[in-house]
Amino acid sequence: MGAFRYPQSKTLFERQKQKLITVPAAVYEEFLVWRKEVHPFKSKTFEPTAAEKREVARAKKNFAQGNYTKWSDLKHELGLDFTSPKLCLRF
C-alpha cells in the first residue's frame, strides 16, 4: 500500500478541515472488498442517449438558423414580465 494522498482538487484549507483516521492495512483491504460488493463504483459522468444527441444537434441547428424565442419574449408571453400590463392587472 502506498502513502495516503489527498485529492489534488482540494485546497489546503479544505484538507485541514477533514478528519484523518488510521486503520490497519488488512482492515482497509477488507473495507475495499466490501465497498466493491455493496457499493460498486458509479460513474458521475453524463452519457446522453442517441435520441438526446439528435435533439441537441437539432437544437444547435435551429439556433444557428435563428429559430428560437428570446427569454424576454417568452416571459412576456407567459405574463411573467414585471413590466407587462397583464401582470399589473392581476394585483
Side-chain angles (χ1 to χ4, degrees), residues 48-59:
T49 63
E52 290 169 333
K53 289 179 183 179
R54 285 192 302 270
E55 289 176 16
V56 168
R58 184 172 153 229

Side-chain angles (χ1 to χ4, degrees), residues 10 35 40-48:
K10 299 270 187 188
R35 189 174 127 200
F41 175 78
K42 294 181 182 177
S43 175
K44 292 185 180 184
T45 58
F46 172 72
E47 285 295 327

Side-chain angles (χ1 to χ4, degrees), residues 73-90:
D73 294 342
L74 180 62
K75 286 193 311 185
H76 180 74
E77 289 175 16
L78 294 174
L80 301 174
D81 187 6
F82 289 108
T83 60
S84 170
K86 292 180 184 177
L87 188 61
C88 295
L89 295 174
R90 292 182 187 166

Side-chain angles (χ1 to χ4, degrees), residues 22-51:
T22 58
V23 294
V27 173
Y28 184 67
E29 292 290 335
E30 185 180 332
F31 166 75
L32 291 177
V33 170
W34 171 83
R35 189 174 127 200
K36 284 181 183 178
E37 292 172 357
V38 178
H39 300 287
F41 175 78
K42 294 181 182 177
S43 175
K44 292 185 180 184
T45 58
F46 172 72
E47 285 295 327
T49 63

